[in-house]
Amino acid sequence: MSQKVVIESVQIRGAAPYLGMCVASDGRQIPLYSTNPDIVMRWLCDGWRCRYNQLRSRRTKWDKNLGMSIPLGGKPDMRSDRQVRLECSWFAAIPAMVLQSPNRIENTDWWSANKRRKTLKKKHRNPGMTPRFKKRRDDLYFVCWHNKGANANYRQLNRRHGEVVITGQNPGAYRLDGQRCRYSIHIRVRVSQPIRDYTSVDVNWTRRTLVFVNDPLPIGRERTGAMVGLDRGCVHTLATSDNRFIDLPKDRLNHIDKEIRRRQKAQARRIAMSGETVKQYRRHASRTYERTGREISRLYAKAHRIIDDWQHKTTSMLVREYDLIVLEDLNLQGMSRKAKAKPDPDRPGAFLPNGQSAKRELNRSLRAASLAGIVGKLEYKTRLTGRNRLIFVNPAYTSQTCSKCGHCAKENRESQADFECRQCHARMNADLNAANNILKRGLNHLLGLDEAGHAETEPDAQPAYRGKDASAMTCETSTR
Ligand SMILES: [Zn+2]
């Protein structure tokens, strides 16, 4: 968790940082200095990435043909921070808090990637390749440790603006006559809320953003005694058991979707007109094609930001309003996975229809709703308050069971939206009915009853919905 801000401008003060040696046209080596903010920031990013890759080169990968582990990049670079500073001139003036940070970051990256690959392998899914080196064409990026005020100090300038100052000094041998040795890089940022204590700053120079790495704010809240069951779906993103629908801003998202479609069509048209395959065309793709590609990824990023913002606002609201939140335990990955290909037994190499095209639309809307995101955010936010409880229940038949009398039949659900019980003839919205069932199941689970609400010990125990019993129960269970 962290706070992300936008970089507005960068200023270099004090000495001009020494950027390394450069070979002139006549073969002489000349030292390079610059006070151009763009050049200095690129130098920091390049240096950080270079050190990261040096550390990465010590890792090994398994070689099938040789039957042994070999270093990732051929020859491992075993030099220490001190040694590279002396041997590689472009490292000489990089602040220690920047040069040392890849040590830990590379380690975390490597092991988390390995863990992820292991889990994917266990699930019989494609684990992807061994993590490699950072490339120049990736985002320009560096990290500076704060280390309790050692560097990268933040200062509020006024209500909307602040400044992060990264300091460093030129090594003794490269000090210009009559100039100071210390330089400072003033990164002016726009802020919208107070910056909390942080451990490091991550600067992305390609996107001009800066991230303060810190802990999230604890969510202060009073106990409300309210409980809710949530039904997640495609038509309504969320339906609550107290008869509310909470939806994504669909109009805005659809508008973006349309824009993406329009550009994708244009790209496909260009490829089709050239009469080449996609791979062939992309080798000499026109500038317009490249630009459209960039526009598409920007639109996707925008849609993602809208969904993320909505998820944060919704989950915060839920956590603030309800003590108990019950969700269905959906296997989202399985639901949105591609349908398995069915080979045709009569014609080798051909396939029978497997319902993929019907499933595709569902997959798309499911992913768009990105239900998993809601769960992840609810999980950490309930942990933050320490007073909420989040439970998952079996989702089977929640949409076919009547929440009034408990009658379960396929015919109960007339269409996507309508529900009418064949036994007690209660009519309601199908999603709201499911949400009520989910809450019931959650309460039964807490009371130690089975799914249908039948008591295993006391025959007359009824699940308590609200009131004194309910709040007592929440108190007891929320102390976990
Ligand atoms: Zn009924």
Side-chain angles (χ1 to χ4, degrees):
M1 289 309 119
S2 43
Q3 290 176 290
K4 192 177 195 173
V5 293
V6 174
I7 298 176
E8 284 186 327
S9 63
V10 176
Q11 235 185 15
I12 316 292
R13 292 187 202 156
Y18 164 67
L19 307 186
M21 279 302 190
C22 150
V23 181
S25 52
D26 55 353
R28 267 185 317 124
Q29 290 214 330
I30 45 171
L32 269 182
Y33 297 89
S34 178
T35 49
N36 179 331
D38 190 48
I39 292 176
V40 172
M41 292 300 270
R42 273 166 186 276
W43 162 69
L44 279 178
C45 294
D46 286 344
W48 190 85
R49 191 187 66 245
C50 185
R51 185 66 190 143
Y52 184 98
N53 286 341
Q54 283 177 356
L55 297 167
R56 182 46 62 86
S57 74
R58 300 174 190 175
R59 306 283 176 190
T60 56
K61 66 176 177 204
W62 183 253
D63 191 300
K64 261 187 218 154
N65 301 328
L66 292 175
M68 56 188 271
S69 293
I70 54 165
L72 268 188
K75 194 165 151 266
D77 189 332
M78 303 307 282
R79 287 177 291 186
S80 68
D81 286 350
R82 222 181 99 81
Q83 267 172 308
V84 294
R85 243 187 225 291
L86 293 172
E87 288 171 24
C88 311
S89 60
W90 63 93
F91 281 129
I94 287 188
M97 290 294 114
V98 175
L99 196 65
Q100 282 169 17
S101 64
N103 273 316
R104 189 180 281 174
I105 292 167
E106 192 274 334
N107 196 44
T108 330
D109 280 2
W110 175 260
W111 292 111
S112 58
N114 275 309
K115 195 175 173 200
R116 189 168 57 240
R117 294 183 75 231
K118 225 178 197 171
T119 355
L120 287 172
K121 245 184 233 164
K122 231 180 245 168
K123 289 183 184 167
H124 303 288
R125 293 177 57 198
N126 180 12
M129 67 178 207
T130 333
R132 295 290 158 88
F133 298 99
K134 283 206 186 294
K135 299 180 197 76
R136 183 130 210 235
R137 64 163 184 271
D138 298 341
D139 282 0
L140 286 167
Y141 179 84
F142 74 88
V143 175
C144 184
W145 277 344
H146 181 52
N147 209 1
K148 292 174 189 152
N151 208 339
N153 286 306
Y154 174 77
R155 193 160 64 92
Q156 189 90 26
L157 294 174
N158 51 44
R159 200 163 65 86
R160 287 264 170 255
H161 300 93
E163 178 181 72
V164 176
V165 184
I166 294 175
T167 55
Q169 65 180 347
N170 290 335
Y174 299 105
R175 273 168 211 168
L176 290 178
D177 294 335
Q179 249 200 14
R180 283 178 296 168
C181 62
R182 293 193 70 78
Y183 63 85
S184 56
I185 304 167
H186 296 249
I187 306 172
R188 193 180 154 96
V189 295
R190 192 169 64 234
V191 293
S192 56
Q193 46 176 282
I195 302 296
R196 304 189 296 274
D197 283 350
Y198 55 94
T199 51
S200 65
V201 293
D202 302 0
V203 178
N204 186 329
W205 188 239
T206 308
R207 292 174 201 279
R208 298 288 198 275
T209 55
L210 186 145
V211 174
F212 295 96
V213 179
N214 52 17
D215 294 332
L217 265 182
I219 301 173
R221 71 184 289 280
E222 293 302 311
R223 196 159 282 150
T224 56
M227 311 175 196
V228 73
L230 295 176
D231 179 50
R232 294 173 283 168
C234 300
V235 175
H236 293 290
T237 319
L238 284 179
T240 71
S241 54
D242 41 14
N243 305 333
R244 262 198 301 174
F245 293 115
I246 310 171
D247 285 318
L248 278 165
K250 281 205 179 116
D251 291 342
R252 287 177 73 196
L253 291 174
N254 283 343
H255 181 74
I256 294 174
D257 214 39
K258 229 186 247 167
E259 292 286 305
I260 292 173
R261 254 351 130 63
R262 195 162 64 82
R263 287 172 171 79
Q264 280 174 338
K265 273 184 195 161
Q267 282 199 319
R269 206 161 47 231
R270 278 194 200 102
I271 294 171
M273 268 160 63
S274 73
E276 292 169 316
T277 63
V278 182
K279 219 172 178 182
Q280 284 168 340
Y281 180 81
R282 289 195 61 173
R283 253 176 235 152
H284 60 88
S286 65
R287 233 178 239 189
T288 336
Y289 181 90
E290 301 279 346
R291 193 181 59 217
T292 318
R294 276 199 301 277
E295 279 169 4
I296 290 173
S297 49
R298 221 180 49 221
L299 284 165
Y300 270 124
K302 186 174 180 182
H304 180 85
R305 284 197 301 272
I306 292 174
I307 293 174
D308 195 60
D309 174 63
W310 175 84
Q311 285 177 342
H312 270 296
K313 283 175 180 158
T314 312
T315 49
S316 290
M317 182 273 287
L318 288 170
V319 164
R320 212 166 286 135
E321 282 184 20
Y322 301 101
D323 279 351
L324 176 71
I325 300 167
V326 189
L327 281 171
E328 49 197 331
D329 194 4
L330 290 179
N331 174 7
L332 292 168
Q333 228 164 36
M335 276 170 78
S336 67
R337 185 106 38 99
K338 260 188 180 174
K340 264 214 179 88
K342 259 193 218 163
D344 191 338
D346 299 331
R347 296 174 297 149
F351 295 94
L352 291 172
N354 62 354
Q356 173 59 32
S357 52
K359 209 164 177 265
R360 189 172 292 139
E361 196 50 36
L362 176 70
N363 288 351
R364 234 168 59 78
S365 49
L366 265 178
R367 286 210 198 101
S370 63
L371 303 175
I374 297 178
V375 179
K377 290 185 176 75
L378 273 179
E379 271 174 350
Y380 94 77
K381 284 184 186 178
T382 45
R383 255 203 318 274
L384 274 182
T385 61
R387 288 182 167 192
N388 289 76
R389 176 115 194 238
L390 177 72
I391 52 179
F392 294 95
V393 294
N394 181 3
Y397 305 112
T398 44
S399 59
Q400 297 174 9
T401 310
C402 171
S403 59
K404 295 263 158 60
C405 69
H407 177 63
C408 173
K410 206 174 174 186
E411 297 76 40
N412 281 352
R413 187 157 186 176
E414 291 178 334
S415 65
Q416 200 288 317
D418 300 315
F419 181 95
E420 187 183 0
C421 179
R422 298 285 143 179
Q423 196 171 296
C424 70
H425 301 285
R427 288 190 71 96
M428 52 202 134
N429 180 287
D431 291 334
L432 297 178
N433 174 56
N436 272 305
N437 283 326
I438 289 166
L439 176 61
K440 255 188 192 173
R441 276 193 192 175
L443 292 170
N444 287 341
H445 172 80
L446 284 182
L447 293 175
L449 309 177
D450 68 5
E451 259 174 28
H454 298 309
E456 279 145 353
T457 47
E458 299 167 55
D460 278 322
Q462 282 288 316
Y465 274 78
R466 286 222 160 69
K468 213 177 159 192
D469 286 2
S471 52
M473 186 178 67
T474 335
C475 288
E476 174 213 287
T477 51
S478 63
T479 46
R480 273 187 351 155

